Amino acid sequence: MTARRGSREDGKPPRRDRMVALFLLGLLLFNPPLLRLFGVEGEIFGVPVLYAYILGVWAAMIALAALAAERR
C-alpha cells in the first residue's frame, strides 16, 4: 500500500506540517485583538499581565518547536 502524499506510513504528520501549524498558532496567539485582552491593570508576581502572557506564550512556542523538531 502506498502512503498518501504529505503523510508517513506510521500516521504521524511530517515535521514540516507540524512547524506550519505551530507558526499559525503563533500568529493567532500574538494577534493584536487577543493581546488587547491581556492589556489590563494588574500584575502576576510583580510582572504586568500583558508581559507575563507574551513571555509565557513565547516560552511555550519554543518548547513546542523543540518537540516538533525532535527526531525519533
Side-chain angles (χ1 to χ4, degrees), residues 7-66:
S7 65
R8 296 186 338 202
E9 288 183 19
D10 60 359
K12 294 182 182 176
R15 182 179 307 148
R16 186 173 134 227
D17 290 347
R18 285 181 266 164
M19 288 297 191
V20 169
L22 186 61
F23 171 76
L24 293 174
L25 177 65
L27 283 179
L28 176 69
L29 292 175
F30 288 112
N31 199 0
L34 186 61
L35 291 175
R36 282 189 204 120
L37 294 175
F38 295 96
V40 296
E41 295 283 330
E43 297 179 347
I44 298 173
F45 300 115
V47 178
V49 175
L50 178 62
Y51 295 162
Y53 171 77
I54 290 173
L55 290 174
V57 169
W58 178 57
M61 294 293 291
I62 290 172
L64 289 172

